[in-house]
Amino acid sequence: MDIGWKIISTGGGLVAGLAAKKIVEYGWQFATGHNAPDEDDFESNLVEAVVFSVVAAATNTIIRNLVMKKASDVYGRAAKSVER
């Protein structure tokens, strides 16, 4: 397997995860008016925690897929130009 793609896919996944986390936390704060549920807070509302988890997972998946698709397109073009 190509080491360049391994580096790009790992970095892209990390960046996508961090971006998704910030987006979800900011969106939750904006929509609800309070901080996102903390995983160590056992006093939080169960429904709120489940909704937050679903929104966070969906957002993370969407952003990661978009980032990886773009990285694949860019890397594919770069790899083709080097092969010539």
Side-chain angles (χ1 to χ4, degrees):
M1 179 170 251
D2 187 11
I3 190 72
W5 175 247
K6 284 184 180 181
I7 292 169
I8 289 173
S9 64
T10 301
L14 290 172
V15 169
L18 292 173
K21 182 176 191 266
K22 290 296 180 186
I23 290 169
V24 169
E25 286 177 352
Y26 178 76
W28 190 266
Q29 175 76 29
F30 182 77
T32 65
H34 57 275
N35 292 335
D38 186 24
E39 63 188 35
D40 296 329
D41 182 14
F42 299 112
E43 299 296 321
S44 65
N45 183 356
L46 180 61
V47 173
E48 184 176 286
V50 170
V51 170
F52 177 79
S53 296
V54 169
V55 169
T59 304
N60 189 20
T61 301
I62 291 167
I63 291 176
R64 186 173 190 285
N65 283 340
L66 291 172
V67 167
M68 296 308 290
K69 180 169 178 13
K70 185 64 175 175
S72 175
D73 291 345
V74 170
Y75 188 75
R77 284 193 301 253
K80 287 177 185 174
S81 67
V82 170
E83 291 175 359
R84 291 181 191 177

